[in-house]
């Protein structure tokens, strides 16, 4: 088995959404992969870090063998350019948005420069990447207190959920799409708290996690919404045996502000 690193341009293709839909991506093949090889994906600006670990499921695939992924291309011309040559199917194994996997830190552990084309990953760098390519599912999410199996000890909540339901990548993509203001009351932590509030926001699952099947893949545009902690707490309060909806809470906030 060989380990590789390739680069991905998130301004051209929505890799997160493609992985969410299929759990794999059919990628233009520019290296001599073998089935079972590990391929780490380095995301270029604005991320500049490794964010995905994949495994080669198939290699040397023809155009007729790949999925139709034109919906994930931001630029139609780039899609047309891409549909040539051979492809490899890369199955998602791990995904994470971690500062320790930034270009600066990777260069301290054996990476010479940002990858331009496929390059082989040395054992030292592979070991380092695998230390941090594990998602912190709970970061920025409010505990789902109505989930079966949730356990509490003081302020700590442990909830058994799958990777897609607590993905830091999905959180990042949600914020990129919706922005950092609260989707209920409009609060901006940066405006209120200055620098210490920069980039801070909770992310709420519009469909409760206890209603999502194990194989469900979260759509960051439709299933997630950025909210401040206060509004997030209100969304998880039980009123007359049910949780309040996004639109209901927006109406309540507007009504009480107008008084």
């Amino acid at each position: 088995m060989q380990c590789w690193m390739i680069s991905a341009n998130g301004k051209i293709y929505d890799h997160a959404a493609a992985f969410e839909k299929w759990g794999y991506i059919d990628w233009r093949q520019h290296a001599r992969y073998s089935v079972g090889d590990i391929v780490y994906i380095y995301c270029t600006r604005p991320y500049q870090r490794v964010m995905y670990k994949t495994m080669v499921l198939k290699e040397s695939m023809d155009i007729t063998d790949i999925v139709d992924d034109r919906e994930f291309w931001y630029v139609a011309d780039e899609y047309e350019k891409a549909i040539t040559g051979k492809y490899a199917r890369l199955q998602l194994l791990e995904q994470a948005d971690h500062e320790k996997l930034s270009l600066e830190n990777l260069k301290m552990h054996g990476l010479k420069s940002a990858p331009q084309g496929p390059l082989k990953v040395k054992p030292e760098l592979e070991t380092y990447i695998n230390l941090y390519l594990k998602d912190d599912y709970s970061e920025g999410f409010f505990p789902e207190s109505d989930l079966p199996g949730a356990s509490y000890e003081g302020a700590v909540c442990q909830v058994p959920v799958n990777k897609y339901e607590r993905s830091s990548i999905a959180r990042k993509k949600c914020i990129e799409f919706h922005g950092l203001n609260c989707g209920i009351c409009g609060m901006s932590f940066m405006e209120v708290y200055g620098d210490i509030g920069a980039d801070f926001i909770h992310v709420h699952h519009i469909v409760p996690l206890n209603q999502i099947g194990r194989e469900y893949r979260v759509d960051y545009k439709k299933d997630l919404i950025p909210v401040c902690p206060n509004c997030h707490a209100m969304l998880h309060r039980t009123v007359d045996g049910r949780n309040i909806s996004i639109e209901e809470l927006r109406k309540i906030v507007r009504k009480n502000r107008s008084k």
Side-chain angles (χ1 to χ4, degrees), residues 219-238:
D219 183 329
Y220 63 84
K221 296 179 182 178
K222 299 177 181 178
D223 297 335
L224 304 177
I225 183 173
V227 290
C228 71
N230 286 345
C231 288
H232 208 171
M234 294 300 101
L235 288 169
H236 284 273
R237 292 199 72 182
T238 302

Side-chain angles (χ1 to χ4, degrees), residues 118-246:
L119 57 86
K120 293 182 179 180
V121 177
K122 294 181 179 179
E124 177 195 353
L125 181 57
E126 181 188 7
T127 299
Y128 176 78
I129 291 173
N130 285 320
L131 283 175
Y132 299 103
L133 199 57
K134 296 178 176 63
D135 223 342
D136 180 3
Y137 311 142
S138 63
E139 180 183 356
F141 289 89
F142 194 81
E144 308 287 353
S145 58
D146 58 345
L147 276 178
S151 61
Y152 297 86
E153 183 177 351
V156 176
C157 172
Q158 294 180 332
V159 183
V161 293
N162 68 35
K163 295 177 183 179
Y164 296 101
E165 292 167 355
R166 292 291 190 184
S167 165
S168 60
I169 303 292
R171 166 185 162 79
K172 175 181 281 292
K173 297 297 289 185
C174 166
I175 292 171
E176 288 177 358
F177 183 76
H178 292 288
L180 281 163
N181 288 8
C182 176
I184 303 295
C185 68
M187 176 188 178
S188 164
F189 279 86
M190 185 69 175
E191 289 180 4
V192 175
Y193 297 103
D195 290 344
I196 64 170
D199 300 325
F200 183 83
I201 197 72
H202 280 190
V203 171
H204 173 69
H205 288 266
I206 296 174
V207 179
L209 291 181
N210 63 343
Q211 296 178 22
I212 293 177
R214 213 60 166 142
E215 299 304 315
Y216 185 86
R217 299 186 187 278
V218 171
D219 183 329
Y220 63 84
K221 296 179 182 178
K222 299 177 181 178
D223 297 335
L224 304 177
I225 183 173
V227 290
C228 71
N230 286 345
C231 288
H232 208 171
M234 294 300 101
L235 288 169
H236 284 273
R237 292 199 72 182
T238 302
V239 180
D240 295 329
R242 67 179 183 86
N243 292 118
I244 195 167
S245 71
I246 298 286

Side-chain angles (χ1 to χ4, degrees), residues 97-109:
D97 174 26
H98 203 302
E99 178 60 31
K100 291 290 188 178
L101 297 175
S102 67
L103 177 59
E104 180 181 352
N105 284 303
L106 294 174
K107 289 169 71 174
M108 294 171 60
H109 291 84

Side-chain angles (χ1 to χ4, degrees), residues 83-103:
I83 52 175
T84 59
K86 297 294 184 178
Y87 289 78
R89 178 160 293 176
L90 305 181
Q91 179 186 26
L92 180 65
L93 299 180
E94 298 284 351
Q95 60 177 351
D97 174 26
H98 203 302
E99 178 60 31
K100 291 290 188 178
L101 297 175
S102 67
L103 177 59

